[in-house]
Amino acid sequence: MKIEIKDLIQDGPKYVLPNISVDSVIFGYHEKELKVLLQRPQGISKWMLPGGYVHRDETIKQAAERVVKNRTGLDRLFLNQFQSFGTPTRTKDSELTPALFAEINQMELDENHWMFDYFVSIGFYSLTEFSKVVPSGEFYLEECTWWNIGDLPSLLYDHQEIIEAALKALRLHIYHYPIGYELLPEKFTLPEIHSLYETILDKTFDSRNFGKKLIATGIIKKLDERRNIGAHRAPFLYVFDMENYNQALENGYALFV
Amino acid sequence: MKIEIKDLIQDGPKYVLPNISVDSVIFGYHEKELKVLLQRPQGISKWMLPGGYVHRDETIKQAAERVVKNRTGLDRLFLNQFQSFGTPTRTKDSELTPALFAEINQMELDENHWMFDYFVSIGFYSLTEFSKVVPSGEFYLEECTWWNIGDLPSLLYDHQEIIEAALKALRLHIYHYPIGYELLPEKFTLPEIHSLYETILDKTFDSRNFGKKLIATGIIKKLDERRNIGAHRAPFLYVFDMENYNQALENGYALFV
DNA sequence: GCAATAGTGTCTGTAAGACAGTATATT
DNA sequence: AATATACTGTCTTACAGACACTATTGC
């Protein structure tokens, strides 16, 4: 169900749950860079996470999926709930008050408008190949772009804290579950998956030990095929062994204890 | 702030956030038994988790602490947020409808009363020494008692699922952070802490390896003192090394990888 | 002496982690 | 030839996990 913006602002709680939002930390990986997708509302200098409300006929996870799909155009994502945030003042910010919001959007808004009440936010994170994504905004957004992790702009509310918690959760996740299926081409090289892990964890791994261990888990298989990468020795290609991969997704494993 | 029940029922959203609840899975340990504290509303045969609403001037964690304190009389607890639950139908149960609730409590209640709307629940778990606890109910409760994990009664809503998720989270937690400080006397024996771990994880550990490893972590220290336990060899006493313990609490460690 | 529990040391196998030189492809 | 990247094997060390007998206490 698509809800009109006007109806939402005027009569929100009729369509969505009041006092609850979902915020998504959308991580994007591409060629040794890890980024986060952020948006900036009109007339505001601070940036914020893509977020939204929970429709009355959907689950919180579906709400997060809808938000991510709206911003990235992608569905069938890796999407994990990691933590909920609820302190009475977390959504008070002098940068974005009801009065300012009303002025910028040329509307009338009560000081106690439901959108500016105490909100509990349920945090999800997602991880995508960012070259596949065409970031797209919405009526009230001025920009929506990728930012390098570790070089973030000034953020609204407690969104800085949410991003940090998401990154921590993502890194913990990686030690227990395989990743890469959504991020790498079907056939990839050892150096590629090696860089993926190093970038996300912000660590270096010895290439000999890394390959040894990853192959030992059984989640990747070597092909009898190489990729031509120009002026250097051609690397072998690998694919995920989906049976082992999915089993590790379900049961977990210990990588790099 | 103490809110009167009547005001809450009639005018809830004025005092608390609508559509949000906190539910607490309160685990109790005592002499090799792991239990969960459950309550049963008047006139209902199914049991449920202690839960409550979030006051407009408190954080979600404070709300959970308040709930736990009301049921157990304990504060200064080990209390962790683990997951939020939100599906539109999760709080529909033929066992507890608005009509039934109204009838049992002899009041009038609209079919669309705010208490029976779509609720997103934020799950917390806590772990206490259950002999310290005097379970106490509230106006609408008929019973509030401990149930053995693995021998639970029929539960309202999705509370069975919430308990399972909490137990999983607790067990994961134990592999990464020390426990025991809230659960054991100041001076305790190796067999005591050994039983604690075995009970919570529902596993057995070789006593020689267990002691070796736990001491190696530095979180416990052997005293030159024994406990007299009657007709058997007197065991040595240990205390937690609070400096190492707290450090492990903050940074985590790997126990029994 | 019996019953019940506490306490303790060694060995083996596995795997993590350190480490550097050779091979290949292009210009 | 020069350059840039891919590829590979061995050694050491640490720790997990298996394993069983002796010590103590009260009755």
Side-chain angles (χ1 to χ4, degrees), chain B residues 191 207-208 212 222 232-233 235-236:
Chain B
S207 62
R208 288 159 292 190
K212 224 188 307 173
K222 190 175 185 172
H232 316 296
R233 177 170 180 178
F236 279 99

Side-chain angles (χ1 to χ4, degrees), chain A residues 106-161:
Chain A
Q106 296 173 327
M107 55 175 87
E108 303 227 344
L109 220 60
D110 192 76
E111 185 70 23
N112 297 314
H113 189 77
W114 72 274
M115 281 185 164
F116 293 89
D117 198 359
Y118 176 1
F119 263 79
V120 171
S121 178
I122 301 160
F124 288 82
Y125 67 83
S126 153
L127 183 54
T128 80
E129 224 298 334
F130 83 64
S131 65
K132 288 186 206 161
V133 171
V134 186
S136 87
E138 253 185 11
F139 87 108
Y140 69 97
L141 294 179
E142 205 164 309
E143 294 181 83
C144 181
T145 57
W146 292 105
W147 288 82
N148 250 315
I149 212 88
D151 186 25
L152 298 176
S154 182
L155 286 145
L156 260 185
Y157 304 155
D158 58 350
H159 288 191
Q160 173 86 33
E161 185 193 335

Side-chain angles (χ1 to χ4, degrees), chain A residues 214-250:
Chain A
L214 203 59
I215 290 166
T217 66
I219 67 166
I220 64 171
K221 285 183 301 198
K222 190 176 186 173
L223 298 178
D224 193 21
E225 219 178 317
R226 290 157 181 269
R227 166 172 301 162
N228 194 316
I229 53 160
H232 316 296
R233 177 170 178 178
F236 278 99
L237 288 168
Y238 290 76
V239 289
F240 287 108
D241 176 328
M242 289 319 289
E243 198 174 325
N244 289 340
Y245 188 95
N246 286 325
Q247 201 188 321
L249 265 188
E250 273 189 37

